[in-house]
């Protein structure tokens, strides 16, 4: 289902995970699907592991 239906209420969350520095996890669904997707969101948040920091050029 498209997330841009006119008049549809959306639900969103943005998380800066711990000391991950530079990472933002985003989760957006229609308001009606928010509760049903809670398990998927928890899985993503719990399993997120940031990559190693890139070295600065120079």
């Amino acid at each position: 289902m498209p997330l841009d239906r006119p008049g549809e209420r959306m639900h969103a969350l943005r998380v800066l995970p711990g000391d991950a520095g530079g990472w933002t996890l985003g989760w957006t669904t229609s308001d009606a699907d928010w509760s049903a997707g809670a398990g998927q969101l928890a899985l993503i948040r719990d399993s997120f592991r940031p990559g190693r920091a890139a070295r600065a050029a120079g």
Side-chain angles (χ1 to χ4, degrees), residues 27 29 33-45:
W27 186 260
T29 73
D33 293 332
W34 182 258
S35 294
Q40 294 169 336
L41 174 58
L43 177 66
I44 291 168
R45 289 178 70 179

Side-chain angles (χ1 to χ4, degrees), residues 10-40:
M10 302 300 295
H11 201 121
L13 174 70
R14 301 293 177 259
V15 179
L16 300 174
D19 295 328
W23 289 92
T24 301
L25 297 178
W27 186 260
T28 305
T29 73
S30 67
D31 195 55
D33 293 332
W34 182 258
S35 294
Q40 294 169 336

